[in-house]
């Protein structure tokens, strides 16, 4: 199963991945026009600690605590991707408390949101990966990752 991985050594902390993520949600063709005067709410977040920048996003766990904690079944796993059915979400935020990575956040409409790997992109790559200018964010299988690191 392919997942998003971040190489902290290459991350510049530019936050472009956040903008590409937020842009992906708009469905528009021009990022500047889509995000102008908007508060972005990306599904990936760049954080910094002791001079090291790193991105936090859903890790699509094999045994996801968020899915187990969901009271209504709004979170489910399909083809290894943890997905959200916003119509079933009752805004209890149990999944936010259960996620050990802080990758689930409330959305503007009250339901939760998280990275769903941009499964509908034409390239098959998540937008954060495509937009990273330094190649710090990659989309690869964990077995490929072991070989390349």
């Amino acid at each position: 199963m392919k997942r998003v991985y971040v190489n902290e050594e290459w991350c510049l902390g530019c936050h472009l991945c956040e903008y590409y993520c937020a842009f992906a949600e708009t469905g528009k063709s021009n990022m500047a026009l889509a995000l102008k005067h908007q508060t972005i709410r990306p599904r990936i977040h760049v954080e910094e600690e002791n001079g090291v920048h790193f991105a936090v996003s859903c890790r699509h766990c094999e045994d996801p605590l968020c899915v187990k904690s969901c009271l209504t079944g709004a979170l489910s796993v399909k083809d290894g991707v943890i997905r959200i059915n916003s119509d079933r979400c009752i805004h209890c935020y149990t999944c936010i408390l259960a996620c050990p990575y802080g990758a689930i956040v409330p959305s503007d409409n009250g339901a939760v949101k998280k990275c769903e790997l941009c499964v509908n992109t034409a390239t098959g790559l998540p937008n954060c990966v495509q937009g990273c200018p330094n190649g710090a964010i990659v989309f690869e299988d964990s077995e490929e990752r072991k070989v390349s690191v």
Side-chain angles (χ1 to χ4, degrees):
M1 164 71 198
K2 287 191 171 192
R3 290 183 169 81
V4 171
Y5 295 97
V6 179
N7 185 334
E8 293 84 8
E9 292 177 19
W10 298 346
C11 181
L12 303 171
C14 68
H15 299 270
L16 275 174
C17 56
E18 293 176 352
Y19 283 92
Y20 276 93
C21 177
F23 176 56
E25 293 182 50
T26 67
K28 297 182 180 174
S29 60
N30 183 306
M31 183 189 293
L33 293 176
L35 300 180
K36 186 175 185 175
H37 305 298
Q38 300 293 319
T39 300
I40 67 163
R41 300 208 190 317
R43 297 170 185 202
I44 187 171
H45 301 278
V46 175
E47 298 189 10
E48 187 264 332
E49 189 170 313
N50 298 325
V52 176
H53 293 92
F54 56 94
V56 176
S57 71
C58 180
R59 298 188 183 186
H60 300 278
C61 303
E62 288 184 25
D63 189 23
L65 296 174
C66 60
V67 174
K68 289 180 177 180
S69 72
C70 183
L71 303 173
T72 63
L75 289 174
S76 62
V77 181
K78 181 179 179 188
D79 299 326
V81 178
I82 299 171
R83 299 180 186 232
I84 300 170
N85 178 339
S86 296
D87 294 333
R88 294 187 77 174
C89 180
I90 60 170
H91 318 160
C92 68
Y93 302 145
T94 307
C95 57
I96 293 174
L97 295 171
C99 176
Y101 304 107
I104 304 172
V105 295
S107 69
D108 290 337
N109 68 7
V112 295
K113 68 179 189 172
K114 54 170 278 319
C115 171
E116 293 182 353
L117 298 175
C118 297
V119 293
N120 297 324
T121 61
T123 63
L125 288 174
N127 286 8
C128 60
V129 174
Q130 293 180 67
C132 182
N134 214 31
I137 303 176
V138 295
F139 186 56
E140 60 189 19
D141 191 283
S142 59
E143 293 302 314
E144 293 174 25
R145 180 144 181 86
K146 289 177 188 173
V147 173
S148 65
V149 173

